[in-house]
Amino acid sequence: MKNCYVPVRRPRPGAGAEAKAAREARRHALATQERAAPRGELGVVADASGSAFYECAGTKVICTVRPRQTSHQSFSSQGRLATDVRIVTAEPIDPTAQRTDEERQLSRFAKDALEASIQLARLPKMLVEVHAIVLQRGGAAAS
């Protein structure tokens, strides 16, 4: 004898056509975002030694690198690294304004990651300045 019992789903509260359409729209948006491949371009800022534009999952960042020769007063046998991460808001960016806690934290993350990958011992008397501007945040700013 075969089992002829087939379970029937009980409708969820708010499972009307509108709720179902909203769930489908969210699923589609998430699937589209996950499929979007990261995109990057090099050399986007002309007066920097190195620059890049990076876009991934709705987050857009411009980053510039400028090596500077330090003065003779602050001689160091090892190079130094300075990072500055700014997040664009509705107001224009003021370089003299205080950074937010989030910007300070992102700057520390960037400095820690870059110090591990740049051989500063090979760059005596050099200050490497890295500036990043987060133009749009889509949830992937810290990644």
Side-chain angles (χ1 to χ4, degrees), residues 5 9 14 18 21 24 39-40 58 63 71 104 109 115 125:
Y5 174 73
R9 282 190 163 188
E18 296 166 358
E24 277 301 313
R39 181 174 80 88
C63 183
S71 66
R104 278 191 219 97
F109 288 159
E115 279 180 339
K125 299 190 269 181

Side-chain angles (χ1 to χ4, degrees), residues 39-132:
R39 181 174 80 88
E41 297 176 31
L42 299 175
V44 293
V45 179
D47 67 338
S49 293
S51 63
F53 171 78
Y54 181 73
E55 180 179 4
C56 178
T59 299
K60 298 177 182 177
V61 179
I62 288 183
C63 183
T64 61
V65 178
R66 291 183 173 93
R68 306 251 190 240
Q69 195 77 17
T70 59
S71 66
H72 297 290
Q73 297 168 349
S74 61
F75 176 78
S76 173
S77 61
Q78 182 171 338
R80 293 183 305 152
L81 177 68
T83 58
D84 183 33
V85 177
R86 297 292 177 130
I87 299 172
V88 172
T89 58
E91 299 109 30
I93 294 179
D94 181 9
T96 61
Q98 291 291 325
R99 294 187 297 172
T100 64
D101 290 336
E102 184 180 16
E103 289 173 336
R104 278 191 219 97
Q105 184 181 20
L106 289 172
S107 292
R108 276 192 300 262
F109 288 159
K111 186 172 184 172
D112 291 344
L114 291 172
E115 279 180 339
S117 60
I118 298 174
Q119 296 179 356
L120 293 172
R122 291 185 164 208
L123 303 169
K125 299 190 269 181
M126 196 62 95
L127 170 65
V128 179
E129 295 177 342
V130 179
H131 301 276

